[in-house]
Amino acid sequence: MLEWVADPQIWIGFFTLVALEIVLGIDNIIFISILAGKLPPEQRDRARVLGLAAALISRLLLLLGLSWVVQLTEPLFTVLGQEISGRDLILLLGGLFLLGKSVTEIHHSMEPGPGKDGKQAAAISFTSVIVQIMILDVVFSLDSVITAVGMVDELGVMIAAVVVAVLVMLFASGPISRFVDAHPSIKMLALAFLVLIGVVLVAEGLDQHIPKGYIYFAMAFSVIVELLNIRMRGRHAKQEDPAPKMQ
């Protein structure tokens, strides 16, 4: 029954799938980090954990309902000669939501409004953050599960790979969130990434495939350049502000 455990090809597929799930989860981590960063410091870790727990549950439910996921690719109706399936609708709505949310966050970062005080406002903010994370989790999970189904045939391997990938994302989300919060330029870059990912989701919903390798390469290249800029600014700041000499 578990003969596949001793199959090296299964393990190759498992580790490859884990790596791909982590890469595909980067946009999810960025979205969760930015939304959690708007909460009070004592609520941020809980929001990240709940958000990634929702992502894990979404992926597992979709894996357990593979027959339903397969049916999502069947056309529901046609608009201007374009066949629209359930998957297309989810990607379109999710992409538009992500675009709207990212653009709004960029606007708020450029022109921050007055803050709200009181426990009720904080509670509403926390609930709103969790709801928004869960909405995008469904979209990102659908893409993740479709990738898993296309790579591995064993359901147990898919579930194990998804669990391992989400656990890695959980440990990485804290440092990533703190780094994004500490560097406004990185936060703006992350928001720009989310705009780009929103455009990709809308394009996918319209059956216009954009190779994700190009997208992630551009994202990684931009982050490396910005990290070099941050390091260079830090060195210049040290040179311009030398420590006072002891008398």
Side-chain angles (χ1 to χ4, degrees):
M1 183 177 179
L2 295 178
E3 295 177 355
W4 54 268
V5 174
D7 187 353
Q9 295 299 322
I10 291 293
W11 285 102
I12 293 173
F14 169 77
F15 287 114
T16 304
L17 185 55
V18 168
L20 283 176
E21 290 291 326
I22 293 173
V23 171
L24 290 174
I26 291 175
D27 41 19
N28 207 347
I29 292 178
I30 292 173
F31 185 76
I32 291 174
S33 299
I34 290 176
L35 286 183
K38 300 176 64 177
L39 295 171
E42 65 273 10
Q43 294 183 345
R44 292 174 186 173
D45 288 339
R46 186 156 61 101
R48 283 195 297 270
V49 171
L50 288 176
L52 288 170
L56 176 60
I57 293 172
S58 300
R59 284 163 169 77
L60 294 180
L61 290 177
L62 288 174
L63 282 173
L64 294 175
L66 285 179
S67 58
W68 179 74
V69 173
V70 172
Q71 292 177 359
L72 285 177
T73 60
E74 298 178 359
L76 296 177
F77 53 88
T78 302
V79 177
L80 300 176
Q82 177 74 40
E83 293 182 343
I84 304 296
S85 65
R87 173 182 176 273
D88 295 334
L89 281 177
I90 293 174
L91 292 178
L92 278 170
L93 295 176
L96 291 173
F97 174 79
L98 188 56
L99 277 172
K101 185 62 183 175
S102 303
V103 171
T104 301
E105 290 297 326
I106 290 175
H107 175 72
H108 288 168
S109 297
M110 299 294 292
E111 298 180 8
K116 294 182 180 180
D117 296 326
K119 295 182 179 179
Q120 184 178 2
I124 293 174
S125 177
F126 183 83
T127 302
S128 173
V129 165
I130 297 301
V131 170
Q132 292 177 66
I133 289 173
M134 292 179 67
I135 291 173
L136 260 296
D137 276 342
V138 173
V139 180
F140 292 138
S141 297
L142 182 63
D143 190 24
S144 172
V145 168
I146 290 174
T147 300
V149 172
M151 287 192 60
V152 181
D153 295 329
E154 294 288 345
L155 179 61
V157 175
M158 288 186 258
I159 291 176
V162 167
V163 171
V164 171
V166 172
L167 288 176
V168 172
M169 291 161 56
L170 179 61
F171 285 108
S173 64
I176 290 175
S177 298
R178 288 188 288 271
F179 185 77
V180 170
D181 290 337
H183 299 88
S185 60
I186 292 292
K187 182 177 180 180
M188 187 59 66
L189 190 60
L191 287 170
F193 289 163
L194 292 179
V195 172
L196 181 60
I197 293 168
V199 172
V200 171
L201 290 176
V202 171
E204 290 281 349
L206 297 174
D207 292 332
Q208 301 298 317
H209 180 66
I210 301 176
K212 290 185 174 61
Y214 296 123
I215 303 298
Y216 289 116
F217 174 79
M219 291 168 59
F221 182 78
S222 301
V223 169
I224 291 172
V225 171
E226 186 56 34
L227 290 176
L228 292 174
N229 283 332
I230 291 173
R231 186 170 183 180
M232 184 176 65
R233 288 196 293 266
R235 285 187 175 182
H236 286 173
K238 289 181 179 179
Q239 292 174 356
E240 294 175 0
D241 187 22
K245 295 181 179 180
M246 297 294 294
Q247 298 293 333

